[in-house]
Amino acid sequence: MNEHKGSRFAHITRAHPCFNEKMHDKVGRAHVPVAPKCNIFCNFCTRDINNEEDRPGVTSCIMKPDDAITHINDVTADGPISVVGVAGPGDSLANEETFEFFEKLAKEQPDLIKCMSTNGLLLPKYADKLAELGVNSVTVTINAIDPAIAENIYSFIKYEGKVYKGREAVEILIKNQLDGVEKAADNGLVVKVNSVLIPGVNDKHIVEIAREVEKRGAAMMNILPLIPLGKMKDLERPDCSMMESIREEVEEIIPVFRACTQCRADAYGIPGKKSEDHHLGMTPQSHY
Ligand code: SF4
Ligand code: SF4
Ligand code: SF4
């Protein structure tokens, strides 16, 4: 990590399990599933409500912001949770409830690190607001910055009341993702970029994403293997050697987070410690 970014963000990364591999099995995060809607269509995405699958986009329920605050009060009383995140199951910024939740959380528990993930479409619009709400870190998922590649990954976007498809859609998305990274970083948020590695689609392109997002102010990247689902259910999941060689290439440009195991939108507890990691489906639903 370059010195300037490293020292600027040290107070966050020290205690954040998703930005500091050493903390991934020591401190916890709690995701609140307050954001069900999404404004784009990624071809690998299948959101679902169930108690079984252990992957992003899955939750056992959708919570209202007030219930989410109660849940956070409960889990922070139980264990060492340092970060509270909104990670869907849809796009955090496409749901008003995300803002309401963070506003309430800042009043209720001002010392917790506030985090969220987004596809970045609305990040230029909301980066200032997130900073005002005291959100500390954001993960933006960017799977291509070349429109010709992105067209294979996204089917459509819904933006400012209109549906866009094909080249027009991905050009808007890419521009907003990169401008959003820059604006969030300029506003003092720690920005991590997630890229889903899709063999045969963007595997040779991830390093170009790294170069661009590093320039735009991202502090770190997390390269995730495709989970073949949805329209991409017949594609191969990348093998370990492909993952490793691309992570090594990217690491020449920007720090790479390697401890991620792709958790659920309702996960809470210590992500790197199986016995202390939970999700909402494991507790009685009547509570919510
Ligand atoms: Fe699914 Fe996330 Fe893509 Fe939306 S942005 S379609 S929730 S993977
Ligand atoms: Fe970690 Fe992403 Fe959740 Fe933030 S939103 S706590 S970076 S998994
Ligand atoms: Fe974040 Fe991945 Fe860890 Fe979950 S497993 S807390 S998504 S870094």
Side-chain angles (χ1 to χ4, degrees), residues 39-40 42 91 118-125 138-146 150 153-154 157 159 169-185 191-195 209 212-213 216 218:
N39 47 10
I40 72 173
C42 303
D91 183 64
T118 176
N119 58 43
L121 181 63
L122 297 178
L123 196 50
K125 181 174 175 190
V138 60
T139 296
V140 189
T141 301
I142 302 179
N143 303 315
I145 55 166
D146 176 344
I153 303 176
Y154 305 100
I157 68 166
Y159 184 58
V170 296
E171 281 177 354
I172 295 169
L173 179 63
I174 293 166
K175 180 176 188 321
N176 284 12
Q177 288 174 324
L178 295 174
D179 288 352
V181 166
E182 192 167 329
K183 206 166 168 197
V191 181
K192 172 157 62 88
V193 169
N194 277 5
S195 294
I209 303 176
E212 187 60 32
V213 299
R216 301 292 190 118

mmCIF file of all heavy atoms in Angstrom, residues 39-40 42 91 118-125 138-146 150 153-154 157 159 169-185 191-195 209 212-213 216 218:
data_model
loop_
_atom_site.group_PDB
_atom_site.id
_atom_site.type_symbol
_atom_site.label_atom_id
_atom_site.label_comp_id
_atom_site.label_asym_id
_atom_site.label_seq_id
_atom_site.Cartn_x
_atom_site.Cartn_y
_atom_site.Cartn_z
ATOM 1 N N ASN A 39 -30.304 -2.170 -9.048
ATOM 2 C CA ASN A 39 -30.550 -1.314 -10.210
ATOM 3 C C ASN A 39 -29.750 -1.744 -11.438
ATOM 4 O O ASN A 39 -29.706 -1.017 -12.425
ATOM 5 C CB ASN A 39 -30.239 0.144 -9.851
ATOM 6 C CG ASN A 39 -28.903 0.272 -9.128
ATOM 7 O OD1 ASN A 39 -28.131 -0.687 -9.049
ATOM 8 N ND2 ASN A 39 -28.625 1.450 -8.606
ATOM 9 N N ILE A 40 -29.069 -2.877 -11.334
ATOM 10 C CA ILE A 40 -28.403 -3.409 -12.526
ATOM 11 C C ILE A 40 -28.660 -4.918 -12.576
ATOM 12 O O ILE A 40 -29.181 -5.500 -11.610
ATOM 13 C CB ILE A 40 -26.874 -3.115 -12.551
ATOM 14 C CG1 ILE A 40 -26.093 -3.959 -11.528
ATOM 15 C CG2 ILE A 40 -26.591 -1.645 -12.337
ATOM 16 C CD1 ILE A 40 -24.570 -3.804 -11.655
ATOM 17 N N CYS A 42 -26.423 -8.220 -13.176
ATOM 18 C CA CYS A 42 -25.165 -8.919 -13.457
ATOM 19 C C CYS A 42 -25.531 -10.343 -13.876
ATOM 20 O O CYS A 42 -26.360 -10.985 -13.225
ATOM 21 C CB CYS A 42 -24.288 -9.002 -12.215
ATOM 22 S SG CYS A 42 -23.900 -7.412 -11.486
ATOM 23 N N ASP A 91 -28.497 -3.745 -4.187
ATOM 24 C CA ASP A 91 -27.465 -2.703 -4.158
ATOM 25 C C ASP A 91 -27.774 -1.718 -3.029
ATOM 26 O O ASP A 91 -28.867 -1.145 -2.985
ATOM 27 C CB ASP A 91 -27.403 -1.945 -5.488
ATOM 28 C CG ASP A 91 -26.283 -0.921 -5.443
ATOM 29 O OD1 ASP A 91 -25.120 -1.339 -5.333
ATOM 30 O OD2 ASP A 91 -26.570 0.296 -5.433
ATOM 31 N N THR A 118 -21.384 -1.761 -2.987
ATOM 32 C CA THR A 118 -22.254 -1.252 -4.044
ATOM 33 C C THR A 118 -21.702 -1.642 -5.408
ATOM 34 O O THR A 118 -20.505 -1.899 -5.550
ATOM 35 C CB THR A 118 -22.378 0.287 -3.957
ATOM 36 O OG1 THR A 118 -23.161 0.775 -5.068
ATOM 37 C CG2 THR A 118 -21.032 0.988 -3.989
ATOM 38 N N ASN A 119 -22.594 -1.646 -6.400
ATOM 39 C CA ASN A 119 -22.121 -1.824 -7.776
ATOM 40 C C ASN A 119 -21.594 -0.502 -8.347
ATOM 41 O O ASN A 119 -21.066 -0.480 -9.453
ATOM 42 C CB ASN A 119 -23.241 -2.382 -8.659
ATOM 43 C CG ASN A 119 -24.470 -1.477 -8.671
ATOM 44 O OD1 ASN A 119 -24.358 -0.262 -8.754
ATOM 45 N ND2 ASN A 119 -25.663 -2.073 -8.606
ATOM 46 N N GLY A 120 -21.756 0.595 -7.629
ATOM 47 C CA GLY A 120 -21.145 1.862 -8.014
ATOM 48 C C GLY A 120 -21.972 2.743 -8.928
ATOM 49 O O GLY A 120 -21.623 3.904 -9.150
ATOM 50 N N LEU A 121 -23.107 2.233 -9.432
ATOM 51 C CA LEU A 121 -23.884 3.049 -10.384
ATOM 52 C C LEU A 121 -24.287 4.396 -9.781
ATOM 53 O O LEU A 121 -24.256 5.429 -10.442
ATOM 54 C CB LEU A 121 -25.130 2.270 -10.844
ATOM 55 C CG LEU A 121 -26.031 2.982 -11.850
ATOM 56 C CD1 LEU A 121 -25.310 3.249 -13.176
ATOM 57 C CD2 LEU A 121 -27.314 2.176 -12.118
ATOM 58 N N LEU A 122 -24.657 4.383 -8.507
ATOM 59 C CA LEU A 122 -25.125 5.621 -7.873
ATOM 60 C C LEU A 122 -24.072 6.258 -6.967
ATOM 61 O O LEU A 122 -24.373 7.200 -6.231
ATOM 62 C CB LEU A 122 -26.415 5.340 -7.088
ATOM 63 C CG LEU A 122 -27.600 4.888 -7.938
ATOM 64 C CD1 LEU A 122 -28.821 4.590 -7.063
ATOM 65 C CD2 LEU A 122 -27.962 5.922 -9.003
ATOM 66 N N LEU A 123 -22.853 5.771 -7.033
ATOM 67 C CA LEU A 123 -21.844 6.293 -6.108
ATOM 68 C C LEU A 123 -21.475 7.766 -6.359
ATOM 69 O O LEU A 123 -21.320 8.525 -5.392
ATOM 70 C CB LEU A 123 -20.602 5.387 -6.131
ATOM 71 C CG LEU A 123 -19.612 5.541 -4.987
ATOM 72 C CD1 LEU A 123 -20.271 5.486 -3.612
ATOM 73 C CD2 LEU A 123 -18.507 4.493 -5.087
ATOM 74 N N PRO A 124 -21.371 8.217 -7.624
ATOM 75 C CA PRO A 124 -21.088 9.653 -7.798
ATOM 76 C C PRO A 124 -22.186 10.522 -7.161
ATOM 77 O O PRO A 124 -21.912 11.551 -6.572
ATOM 78 C CB PRO A 124 -21.060 9.843 -9.316
ATOM 79 C CG PRO A 124 -20.790 8.492 -9.871
ATOM 80 C CD PRO A 124 -21.424 7.509 -8.915
ATOM 81 N N LYS A 125 -23.424 10.052 -7.265
ATOM 82 C CA LYS A 125 -24.546 10.818 -6.716
ATOM 83 C C LYS A 125 -24.497 10.858 -5.184
ATOM 84 O O LYS A 125 -24.851 11.865 -4.569
ATOM 85 C CB LYS A 125 -25.855 10.171 -7.202
ATOM 86 C CG LYS A 125 -27.104 10.870 -6.744
ATOM 87 C CD LYS A 125 -28.328 10.259 -7.398
ATOM 88 C CE LYS A 125 -29.592 10.885 -6.847
ATOM 89 N NZ LYS A 125 -30.790 10.170 -7.284
ATOM 90 N N VAL A 138 -16.094 1.776 1.710
ATOM 91 C CA VAL A 138 -17.029 1.295 0.692
ATOM 92 C C VAL A 138 -16.310 0.296 -0.217
ATOM 93 O O VAL A 138 -15.139 0.474 -0.537
ATOM 94 C CB VAL A 138 -17.640 2.481 -0.107
ATOM 95 C CG1 VAL A 138 -16.582 3.304 -0.809
ATOM 96 C CG2 VAL A 138 -18.663 2.008 -1.128
ATOM 97 N N THR A 139 -17.026 -0.766 -0.560
ATOM 98 C CA THR A 139 -16.506 -1.727 -1.533
ATOM 99 C C THR A 139 -17.307 -1.579 -2.809
ATOM 100 O O THR A 139 -18.542 -1.646 -2.786
ATOM 101 C CB THR A 139 -16.653 -3.165 -1.005
ATOM 102 O OG1 THR A 139 -15.846 -3.303 0.156
ATOM 103 C CG2 THR A 139 -16.189 -4.177 -2.042
ATOM 104 N N VAL A 140 -16.615 -1.328 -3.920
ATOM 105 C CA VAL A 140 -17.279 -1.161 -5.208
ATOM 106 C C VAL A 140 -16.913 -2.360 -6.085
ATOM 107 O O VAL A 140 -15.729 -2.646 -6.272
ATOM 108 C CB VAL A 140 -16.816 0.142 -5.905
ATOM 109 C CG1 VAL A 140 -17.679 0.416 -7.134
ATOM 110 C CG2 VAL A 140 -16.846 1.328 -4.952
ATOM 111 N N THR A 141 -17.918 -3.053 -6.581
ATOM 112 C CA THR A 141 -17.630 -4.210 -7.434
ATOM 113 C C THR A 141 -17.548 -3.764 -8.886
ATOM 114 O O THR A 141 -18.526 -3.277 -9.459
ATOM 115 C CB THR A 141 -18.702 -5.299 -7.256
ATOM 116 O OG1 THR A 141 -18.701 -5.681 -5.881
ATOM 117 C CG2 THR A 141 -18.381 -6.528 -8.102
ATOM 118 N N ILE A 142 -16.353 -3.889 -9.444
ATOM 119 C CA ILE A 142 -16.106 -3.485 -10.835
ATOM 120 C C ILE A 142 -15.518 -4.695 -11.559
ATOM 121 O O ILE A 142 -14.414 -5.140 -11.239
ATOM 122 C CB ILE A 142 -15.118 -2.287 -10.898
ATOM 123 C CG1 ILE A 142 -15.655 -1.099 -10.095
ATOM 124 C CG2 ILE A 142 -14.844 -1.897 -12.353
ATOM 125 C CD1 ILE A 142 -14.747 0.132 -10.077
ATOM 126 N N ASN A 143 -16.248 -5.207 -12.518
ATOM 127 C CA ASN A 143 -15.819 -6.438 -13.184
ATOM 128 C C ASN A 143 -15.217 -6.207 -14.565
ATOM 129 O O ASN A 143 -14.652 -7.121 -15.157
ATOM 130 C CB ASN A 143 -16.995 -7.401 -13.299
ATOM 131 C CG ASN A 143 -17.591 -7.693 -11.929
ATOM 132 O OD1 ASN A 143 -16.863 -7.931 -10.973
ATOM 133 N ND2 ASN A 143 -18.911 -7.637 -11.821
ATOM 134 N N ALA A 144 -15.348 -4.981 -15.071
ATOM 135 C CA ALA A 144 -14.737 -4.628 -16.359
ATOM 136 C C ALA A 144 -14.743 -3.115 -16.492
ATOM 137 O O ALA A 144 -15.673 -2.454 -16.035
ATOM 138 C CB ALA A 144 -15.518 -5.247 -17.510
ATOM 139 N N ILE A 145 -13.681 -2.585 -17.116
ATOM 140 C CA ILE A 145 -13.702 -1.145 -17.452
ATOM 141 C C ILE A 145 -13.663 -0.958 -18.964
ATOM 142 O O ILE A 145 -13.634 0.159 -19.451
ATOM 143 C CB ILE A 145 -12.543 -0.375 -16.766
ATOM 144 C CG1 ILE A 145 -11.194 -1.005 -17.098
ATOM 145 C CG2 ILE A 145 -12.763 -0.297 -15.264
ATOM 146 C CD1 ILE A 145 -10.002 -0.114 -16.740
ATOM 147 N N ASP A 146 -13.644 -2.062 -19.685
ATOM 148 C CA ASP A 146 -13.695 -2.030 -21.144
ATOM 149 C C ASP A 146 -15.139 -2.397 -21.537
ATOM 150 O O ASP A 146 -15.614 -3.495 -21.229
ATOM 151 C CB ASP A 146 -12.697 -3.058 -21.686
ATOM 152 C CG ASP A 146 -12.753 -3.178 -23.199
ATOM 153 O OD1 ASP A 146 -13.747 -2.709 -23.807
ATOM 154 O OD2 ASP A 146 -11.828 -3.760 -23.778
ATOM 155 N N ALA A 150 -17.464 -5.642 -20.665
ATOM 156 C CA ALA A 150 -18.588 -5.443 -19.732
ATOM 157 C C ALA A 150 -19.918 -5.880 -20.338
ATOM 158 O O ALA A 150 -20.799 -6.375 -19.629
ATOM 159 C CB ALA A 150 -18.657 -3.974 -19.306
ATOM 160 N N ILE A 153 -21.020 -9.159 -19.313
ATOM 161 C CA ILE A 153 -21.209 -9.397 -17.870
ATOM 162 C C ILE A 153 -22.537 -8.832 -17.369
ATOM 163 O O ILE A 153 -23.130 -9.365 -16.431
ATOM 164 C CB ILE A 153 -20.019 -8.781 -17.078
ATOM 165 C CG1 ILE A 153 -18.691 -9.376 -17.594
ATOM 166 C CG2 ILE A 153 -20.175 -8.985 -15.572
ATOM 167 C CD1 ILE A 153 -17.446 -8.776 -16.968
ATOM 168 N N TYR A 154 -22.989 -7.735 -17.988
ATOM 169 C CA TYR A 154 -24.205 -7.066 -17.509
ATOM 170 C C TYR A 154 -25.289 -7.095 -18.587
ATOM 171 O O TYR A 154 -24.998 -6.849 -19.758
ATOM 172 C CB TYR A 154 -23.898 -5.603 -17.160
ATOM 173 C CG TYR A 154 -22.764 -5.452 -16.172
ATOM 174 C CD1 TYR A 154 -21.476 -5.116 -16.603
ATOM 175 C CD2 TYR A 154 -22.969 -5.657 -14.807
ATOM 176 C CE1 TYR A 154 -20.428 -4.977 -15.700
ATOM 177 C CE2 TYR A 154 -21.926 -5.521 -13.899
ATOM 178 C CZ TYR A 154 -20.660 -5.189 -14.354
ATOM 179 O OH TYR A 154 -19.630 -5.058 -13.455
ATOM 180 N N ILE A 157 -29.072 -1.883 -17.067
ATOM 181 C CA ILE A 157 -29.055 -1.052 -15.855
ATOM 182 C C ILE A 157 -30.349 -0.234 -15.828
ATOM 183 O O ILE A 157 -30.929 0.038 -16.890
ATOM 184 C CB ILE A 157 -27.831 -0.098 -15.787
ATOM 185 C CG1 ILE A 157 -27.919 0.999 -16.869
ATOM 186 C CG2 ILE A 157 -26.516 -0.874 -15.931
ATOM 187 C CD1 ILE A 157 -26.947 2.153 -16.643
ATOM 188 N N TYR A 159 -31.383 3.426 -14.617
ATOM 189 C CA TYR A 159 -30.691 4.633 -14.173
ATOM 190 C C TYR A 159 -31.548 5.862 -14.456
ATOM 191 O O TYR A 159 -31.991 6.062 -15.586
ATOM 192 C CB TYR A 159 -29.354 4.724 -14.911
ATOM 193 C CG TYR A 159 -28.478 5.868 -14.482
ATOM 194 C CD1 TYR A 159 -28.067 6.011 -13.161
ATOM 195 C CD2 TYR A 159 -28.043 6.806 -15.417
ATOM 196 C CE1 TYR A 159 -27.248 7.066 -12.775
ATOM 197 C CE2 TYR A 159 -27.214 7.863 -15.041
ATOM 198 C CZ TYR A 159 -26.832 7.987 -13.725
ATOM 199 O OH TYR A 159 -26.018 9.026 -13.335
ATOM 200 N N ALA A 169 -25.602 0.961 -21.760
ATOM 201 C CA ALA A 169 -25.717 0.636 -20.332
ATOM 202 C C ALA A 169 -24.337 0.536 -19.679
ATOM 203 O O ALA A 169 -24.085 1.129 -18.628
ATOM 204 C CB ALA A 169 -26.458 -0.696 -20.160
ATOM 205 N N VAL A 170 -23.450 -0.216 -20.321
ATOM 206 C CA VAL A 170 -22.162 -0.445 -19.652
ATOM 207 C C VAL A 170 -21.296 0.811 -19.668
ATOM 208 O O VAL A 170 -20.487 1.019 -18.759
ATOM 209 C CB VAL A 170 -21.412 -1.678 -20.230
ATOM 210 C CG1 VAL A 170 -22.201 -2.939 -19.964
ATOM 211 C CG2 VAL A 170 -21.082 -1.536 -21.704
ATOM 212 N N GLU A 171 -21.470 1.665 -20.666
ATOM 213 C CA GLU A 171 -20.695 2.910 -20.652
ATOM 214 C C GLU A 171 -21.103 3.788 -19.468
ATOM 215 O O GLU A 171 -20.256 4.370 -18.799
ATOM 216 C CB GLU A 171 -20.855 3.655 -21.989
ATOM 217 C CG GLU A 171 -19.962 3.021 -23.043
ATOM 218 C CD GLU A 171 -20.091 3.624 -24.431
ATOM 219 O OE1 GLU A 171 -20.974 4.499 -24.633
ATOM 220 O OE2 GLU A 171 -19.336 3.190 -25.313
ATOM 221 N N ILE A 172 -22.398 3.866 -19.213
ATOM 222 C CA ILE A 172 -22.852 4.652 -18.049
ATOM 223 C C ILE A 172 -22.327 4.010 -16.766
ATOM 224 O O ILE A 172 -21.787 4.685 -15.881
ATOM 225 C CB ILE A 172 -24.400 4.728 -17.998
ATOM 226 C CG1 ILE A 172 -24.938 5.495 -19.202
ATOM 227 C CG2 ILE A 172 -24.879 5.378 -16.685
ATOM 228 C CD1 ILE A 172 -26.454 5.386 -19.384
ATOM 229 N N LEU A 173 -22.471 2.692 -16.675
ATOM 230 C CA LEU A 173 -22.051 1.991 -15.447
ATOM 231 C C LEU A 173 -20.552 2.191 -15.176
ATOM 232 O O LEU A 173 -20.160 2.563 -14.062
ATOM 233 C CB LEU A 173 -22.385 0.497 -15.568
ATOM 234 C CG LEU A 173 -21.986 -0.364 -14.374
ATOM 235 C CD1 LEU A 173 -22.727 0.059 -13.100
ATOM 236 C CD2 LEU A 173 -22.258 -1.854 -14.657
ATOM 237 N N ILE A 174 -19.725 1.960 -16.185
ATOM 238 C CA ILE A 174 -18.268 2.060 -15.983
ATOM 239 C C ILE A 174 -17.881 3.488 -15.579
ATOM 240 O O ILE A 174 -17.101 3.703 -14.655
ATOM 241 C CB ILE A 174 -17.507 1.625 -17.264
ATOM 242 C CG1 ILE A 174 -17.724 0.133 -17.515
ATOM 243 C CG2 ILE A 174 -16.020 1.951 -17.156
ATOM 244 C CD1 ILE A 174 -17.306 -0.335 -18.912
ATOM 245 N N LYS A 175 -18.449 4.461 -16.280
ATOM 246 C CA LYS A 175 -18.119 5.860 -15.953
ATOM 247 C C LYS A 175 -18.479 6.153 -14.493
ATOM 248 O O LYS A 175 -17.697 6.736 -13.737
ATOM 249 C CB LYS A 175 -18.858 6.812 -16.898
ATOM 250 C CG LYS A 175 -18.533 8.272 -16.589
ATOM 251 C CD LYS A 175 -19.161 9.246 -17.536
ATOM 252 C CE LYS A 175 -18.673 10.673 -17.322
ATOM 253 N NZ LYS A 175 -18.472 11.107 -15.951
ATOM 254 N N ASN A 176 -19.679 5.741 -14.100
ATOM 255 C CA ASN A 176 -20.120 6.032 -12.738
ATOM 256 C C ASN A 176 -19.301 5.270 -11.698
ATOM 257 O O ASN A 176 -18.995 5.798 -10.631
ATOM 258 C CB ASN A 176 -21.610 5.722 -12.584
ATOM 259 C CG ASN A 176 -22.474 6.793 -13.227
ATOM 260 O OD1 ASN A 176 -21.973 7.624 -13.970
ATOM 261 N ND2 ASN A 176 -23.760 6.762 -12.949
ATOM 262 N N GLN A 177 -18.950 4.034 -12.003
ATOM 263 C CA GLN A 177 -18.142 3.268 -11.044
ATOM 264 C C GLN A 177 -16.806 3.967 -10.800
ATOM 265 O O GLN A 177 -16.392 4.149 -9.648
ATOM 266 C CB GLN A 177 -17.893 1.855 -11.589
ATOM 267 C CG GLN A 177 -19.141 0.982 -11.566
ATOM 268 C CD GLN A 177 -18.936 -0.360 -12.234
ATOM 269 O OE1 GLN A 177 -18.222 -0.473 -13.235
ATOM 270 N NE2 GLN A 177 -19.569 -1.397 -11.698
ATOM 271 N N LEU A 178 -16.138 4.370 -11.891
ATOM 272 C CA LEU A 178 -14.803 4.972 -11.728
ATOM 273 C C LEU A 178 -14.898 6.364 -11.104
ATOM 274 O O LEU A 178 -14.133 6.712 -10.201
ATOM 275 C CB LEU A 178 -14.075 5.013 -13.074
ATOM 276 C CG LEU A 178 -13.750 3.627 -13.658
ATOM 277 C CD1 LEU A 178 -13.171 3.768 -15.059
ATOM 278 C CD2 LEU A 178 -12.792 2.848 -12.757
ATOM 279 N N ASP A 179 -15.868 7.156 -11.561
ATOM 280 C CA ASP A 179 -16.060 8.478 -10.940
ATOM 281 C C ASP A 179 -16.448 8.314 -9.469
ATOM 282 O O ASP A 179 -16.044 9.112 -8.611
ATOM 283 C CB ASP A 179 -17.166 9.269 -11.656
ATOM 284 C CG ASP A 179 -16.722 9.740 -13.028
ATOM 285 O OD1 ASP A 179 -15.536 9.581 -13.355
ATOM 286 O OD2 ASP A 179 -17.582 10.250 -13.789
ATOM 287 N N GLY A 180 -17.236 7.277 -9.187
ATOM 288 C CA GLY A 180 -17.672 7.030 -7.808
ATOM 289 C C GLY A 180 -16.505 6.660 -6.906
ATOM 290 O O GLY A 180 -16.410 7.148 -5.777
ATOM 291 N N VAL A 181 -15.620 5.813 -7.398
ATOM 292 C CA VAL A 181 -14.423 5.451 -6.618
ATOM 293 C C VAL A 181 -13.638 6.725 -6.289
ATOM 294 O O VAL A 181 -13.248 6.961 -5.143
ATOM 295 C CB VAL A 181 -13.523 4.458 -7.419
ATOM 296 C CG1 VAL A 181 -12.140 4.338 -6.784
ATOM 297 C CG2 VAL A 181 -14.194 3.089 -7.512
ATOM 298 N N GLU A 182 -13.462 7.549 -7.308
ATOM 299 C CA GLU A 182 -12.677 8.771 -7.124
ATOM 300 C C GLU A 182 -13.343 9.717 -6.118
ATOM 301 O O GLU A 182 -12.704 10.241 -5.207
ATOM 302 C CB GLU A 182 -12.533 9.454 -8.488
ATOM 303 C CG GLU A 182 -11.516 10.557 -8.503
ATOM 304 C CD GLU A 182 -11.175 10.979 -9.938
ATOM 305 O OE1 GLU A 182 -11.219 10.137 -10.867
ATOM 306 O OE2 GLU A 182 -10.895 12.161 -10.108
ATOM 307 N N LYS A 183 -14.637 9.878 -6.261
ATOM 308 C CA LYS A 183 -15.348 10.815 -5.386
ATOM 309 C C LYS A 183 -15.398 10.302 -3.947
ATOM 310 O O LYS A 183 -15.242 11.061 -2.998
ATOM 311 C CB LYS A 183 -16.769 11.017 -5.927
ATOM 312 C CG LYS A 183 -17.341 12.346 -5.526
ATOM 313 C CD LYS A 183 -18.570 12.710 -6.311
ATOM 314 C CE LYS A 183 -19.227 13.914 -5.631
ATOM 315 N NZ LYS A 183 -20.601 14.110 -6.035
ATOM 316 N N ALA A 184 -15.592 8.989 -3.792
ATOM 317 C CA ALA A 184 -15.616 8.424 -2.440
ATOM 318 C C ALA A 184 -14.249 8.586 -1.787
ATOM 319 O O ALA A 184 -14.139 8.994 -0.623
ATOM 320 C CB ALA A 184 -16.032 6.957 -2.495
ATOM 321 N N ALA A 185 -13.191 8.293 -2.540
ATOM 322 C CA ALA A 185 -11.834 8.413 -1.990
ATOM 323 C C ALA A 185 -11.537 9.882 -1.654
ATOM 324 O O ALA A 185 -10.983 10.190 -0.588
ATOM 325 C CB ALA A 185 -10.806 7.870 -2.971
ATOM 326 N N VAL A 191 -11.636 2.970 0.065
ATOM 327 C CA VAL A 191 -12.325 2.291 -1.032
ATOM 328 C C VAL A 191 -11.603 0.988 -1.390
ATOM 329 O O VAL A 191 -10.407 0.985 -1.664
ATOM 330 C CB VAL A 191 -12.392 3.189 -2.292
ATOM 331 C CG1 VAL A 191 -13.136 2.473 -3.415
ATOM 332 C CG2 VAL A 191 -13.047 4.527 -1.975
ATOM 333 N N LYS A 192 -12.369 -0.090 -1.369
ATOM 334 C CA LYS A 192 -11.860 -1.379 -1.865
ATOM 335 C C LYS A 192 -12.639 -1.693 -3.135
ATOM 336 O O LYS A 192 -13.831 -1.423 -3.216
ATOM 337 C CB LYS A 192 -12.100 -2.457 -0.805
ATOM 338 C CG LYS A 192 -11.788 -3.882 -1.272
ATOM 339 C CD LYS A 192 -11.493 -4.801 -0.090
ATOM 340 C CE LYS A 192 -12.642 -4.957 0.876
ATOM 341 N NZ LYS A 192 -13.595 -6.014 0.564
ATOM 342 N N VAL A 193 -11.951 -2.248 -4.130
ATOM 343 C CA VAL A 193 -12.642 -2.660 -5.353
ATOM 344 C C VAL A 193 -12.654 -4.186 -5.410
ATOM 345 O O VAL A 193 -11.617 -4.827 -5.319
ATOM 346 C CB VAL A 193 -11.964 -2.060 -6.607
ATOM 347 C CG1 VAL A 193 -12.513 -2.700 -7.883
ATOM 348 C CG2 VAL A 193 -12.194 -0.552 -6.638
ATOM 349 N N ASN A 194 -13.831 -4.749 -5.514
ATOM 350 C CA ASN A 194 -13.994 -6.184 -5.723
ATOM 351 C C ASN A 194 -14.131 -6.437 -7.218
ATOM 352 O O ASN A 194 -14.863 -5.711 -7.903
ATOM 353 C CB ASN A 194 -15.278 -6.691 -5.053
ATOM 354 C CG ASN A 194 -15.098 -6.971 -3.579
ATOM 355 O OD1 ASN A 194 -14.035 -6.712 -3.001
ATOM 356 N ND2 ASN A 194 -16.125 -7.509 -2.958
ATOM 357 N N SER A 195 -13.445 -7.456 -7.708
ATOM 358 C CA SER A 195 -13.668 -7.873 -9.100
ATOM 359 C C SER A 195 -13.927 -9.363 -9.111
ATOM 360 O O SER A 195 -13.183 -10.132 -8.504
ATOM 361 C CB SER A 195 -12.435 -7.583 -9.974
ATOM 362 O OG SER A 195 -12.224 -6.197 -10.075
ATOM 363 N N ILE A 209 -8.128 -3.203 -14.730
ATOM 364 C CA ILE A 209 -9.026 -2.600 -13.722
ATOM 365 C C ILE A 209 -8.167 -2.101 -12.561
ATOM 366 O O ILE A 209 -8.348 -0.986 -12.069
ATOM 367 C CB ILE A 209 -10.061 -3.629 -13.211
ATOM 368 C CG1 ILE A 209 -10.889 -4.203 -14.354
ATOM 369 C CG2 ILE A 209 -10.958 -3.004 -12.135
ATOM 370 C CD1 ILE A 209 -11.870 -5.311 -13.937
ATOM 371 N N GLU A 212 -6.401 1.217 -13.245
ATOM 372 C CA GLU A 212 -7.295 2.380 -13.284
ATOM 373 C C GLU A 212 -7.819 2.734 -11.882
ATOM 374 O O GLU A 212 -7.818 3.901 -11.497
ATOM 375 C CB GLU A 212 -8.464 2.091 -14.246
ATOM 376 C CG GLU A 212 -9.370 3.282 -14.490
ATOM 377 C CD GLU A 212 -8.659 4.485 -15.100
ATOM 378 O OE1 GLU A 212 -7.700 4.309 -15.867
ATOM 379 O OE2 GLU A 212 -9.090 5.629 -14.778
ATOM 380 N N VAL A 213 -8.238 1.727 -11.116
ATOM 381 C CA VAL A 213 -8.834 2.075 -9.818
ATOM 382 C C VAL A 213 -7.772 2.568 -8.834
ATOM 383 O O VAL A 213 -8.067 3.385 -7.962
ATOM 384 C CB VAL A 213 -9.680 0.926 -9.206
ATOM 385 C CG1 VAL A 213 -10.840 0.575 -10.121
ATOM 386 C CG2 VAL A 213 -8.861 -0.291 -8.832
ATOM 387 N N ARG A 216 -7.521 6.090 -9.430
ATOM 388 C CA ARG A 216 -8.707 6.822 -8.958
ATOM 389 C C ARG A 216 -8.788 6.903 -7.436
ATOM 390 O O ARG A 216 -9.709 7.498 -6.895
ATOM 391 C CB ARG A 216 -9.977 6.157 -9.478
ATOM 392 C CG ARG A 216 -10.087 6.078 -10.988
ATOM 393 C CD ARG A 216 -10.260 7.456 -11.600
ATOM 394 N NE ARG A 216 -10.605 7.356 -13.006
ATOM 395 C CZ ARG A 216 -11.750 7.801 -13.532
ATOM 396 N NH1 ARG A 216 -12.646 8.398 -12.784
ATOM 397 N NH2 ARG A 216 -11.973 7.682 -14.812
ATOM 398 N N ALA A 218 -8.508 4.065 -5.122
ATOM 399 C CA ALA A 218 -8.835 2.854 -4.344
ATOM 400 C C ALA A 218 -7.613 2.446 -3.524
ATOM 401 O O ALA A 218 -6.467 2.640 -3.943
ATOM 402 C CB ALA A 218 -9.241 1.721 -5.287
#
